[in-house]
Amino acid sequence: VAAALSPYDGMVQSAARSVASGDKQGAVGVLLSAISLERSNPTAFVRLGRLLITTGQMDDAASQFQLALAASPDHVEATFGMAEALASGGRLEESLKYFKRAAESAAGSAPSTPSSTSHDEEAHASADGTADDPVSRSIARAKAALALRCSIHRAWGDALSSLGYLEEAAGQYEISLQIQEQGTLSDTGAVRSV
């Protein structure tokens, strides 16, 4: 028997359905309502910021990431989102400090600790049946953390390349490839540190 969704989780699912049906603006409205229920949840601001990026509203997205960072200054996804919003909005030089900060935070984060699991991740775990399997949750969080680190370095490399910093960009692409390889090796039981 599935647990009843909180009003916030129901709104998040409704927004996801709106996005899936192509109604991104409708999803923005639903997420704004969801945020009113969970003003202290930085993941709510990140979710809205990510959606605003897809609609081309970079300044509004950056504002949402800033609200998330105000609530949780070390929130990796908010820092990365801010970097992406700035870079996509043409503010490449400004984005570099956020890419660096996101990469440093992601490298130092411990995805398998309970305190790093967001409210949204717990709701998703309950919905997909993995809530009763701590090992599966831990593996999924570790894989997600590696994917995030890989994405951060790749996007940082893209921003550096756009600015003409080709050697620095190549370094970020190499780190991204190493992280990707680490994830592949982890799947086979081998463990490496990057």
Side-chain angles (χ1 to χ4, degrees), residues 76 101-110 149 152-153 194:
V76 176
R101 191 169 127 199
E104 290 170 348
S105 294
S109 68
R149 288 180 58 213
I152 290 168
H153 287 282
V194 174

Side-chain angles (χ1 to χ4, degrees), residues 87-151:
S88 295
R91 296 161 57 184
L92 292 167
E93 284 288 345
E94 191 178 349
S95 75
L96 296 180
K97 72 178 180 181
Y98 287 97
F99 281 122
K100 180 177 189 217
R101 191 169 127 199
E104 290 170 348
S105 294
S109 68
S112 61
T113 61
S115 62
S116 67
T117 303
S118 73
H119 172 77
D120 288 338
E121 289 169 339
E122 287 299 326
H124 178 72
S126 296
D128 70 12
T130 60
D132 296 329
D133 184 0
V135 173
S136 293
R137 279 197 322 264
S138 180
I139 291 169
R141 281 193 301 267
K143 285 181 179 182
L146 285 174
L148 177 63
R149 288 180 58 213
C150 186
S151 295

Side-chain angles (χ1 to χ4, degrees), residues 155-175:
W156 189 4
D158 291 346
L160 288 164
S161 179
S162 294
L163 288 166
Y165 304 136
L166 301 182
E167 192 170 315
E168 292 90 342
Q172 293 308 315
Y173 293 140
E174 178 63 28
I175 292 169

